[in-house]
């Protein structure tokens, strides 16, 4: 899994609608981070869509989603395996 993802942050409004941009982003099969506005209400049960309340919440979600994965790929055991593969 790569570090790619999409963040959509729309202004809060009371109007109804939907985001075709969100559906297009889902086609990339990468995580989609959206704020809690009416534009994204149809995505509530869609896998790979993560809702955030504000900027601090978004930062926390990105940290949890990406940082732990980065650590797993770059722990010393994994680095050693990659190093050994180079010399085989």
């Amino acid at each position: 899994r790569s570090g790619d993802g999409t963040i959509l942050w729309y202004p809060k409004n009371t109007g109804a609608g939907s985001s075709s941009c969100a559906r297009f982003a889902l086609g990339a099969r990468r995580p989609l981070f959206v704020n809690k506005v009416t534009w994204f209400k149809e995505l509530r049960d869609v896998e790979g869509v993560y809702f955030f309340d504000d900027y601090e919440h978004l930062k926390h979600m990105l940290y949890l989603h990406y940082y732990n994965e980065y650590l797993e790929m770059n722990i010393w055991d994994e680095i050693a395996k990659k190093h050994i593969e180079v010399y085989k």
Side-chain angles (χ1 to χ4, degrees):
R1 191 168 79 169
S2 73
D4 293 339
T6 303
I7 299 171
L8 297 177
W9 192 318
Y10 283 26
K12 294 188 190 263
N13 63 32
T14 57
S18 68
S19 171
S20 60
C21 185
R23 289 194 282 295
F24 184 74
L26 285 169
R29 300 199 184 277
R30 296 288 183 255
L32 175 60
F33 298 90
V34 298
N35 60 330
K36 293 180 181 177
V37 294
T38 57
W39 293 102
F40 304 122
K41 67 181 178 185
E42 76 276 4
L43 303 175
R44 292 274 180 223
D45 298 321
V46 176
E47 186 176 336
V49 177
Y50 303 91
F51 288 87
F52 60 89
D53 298 310
D54 54 31
Y55 179 68
E56 291 301 317
H57 187 203
L58 171 62
K59 284 193 325 185
H60 181 70
M61 289 173 63
L62 292 172
Y63 173 82
L64 292 176
H65 191 81
Y66 291 111
Y67 187 71
N68 291 335
E69 179 183 328
Y70 176 82
L71 286 178
E72 288 174 19
M73 292 182 337
N74 292 288
I75 60 173
W76 283 113
D77 290 341
E78 291 300 316
I79 292 171
K81 288 177 192 174
K82 292 174 187 175
H83 187 78
I84 290 168
E85 286 297 315
V86 169
Y87 289 100
K88 280 188 175 181

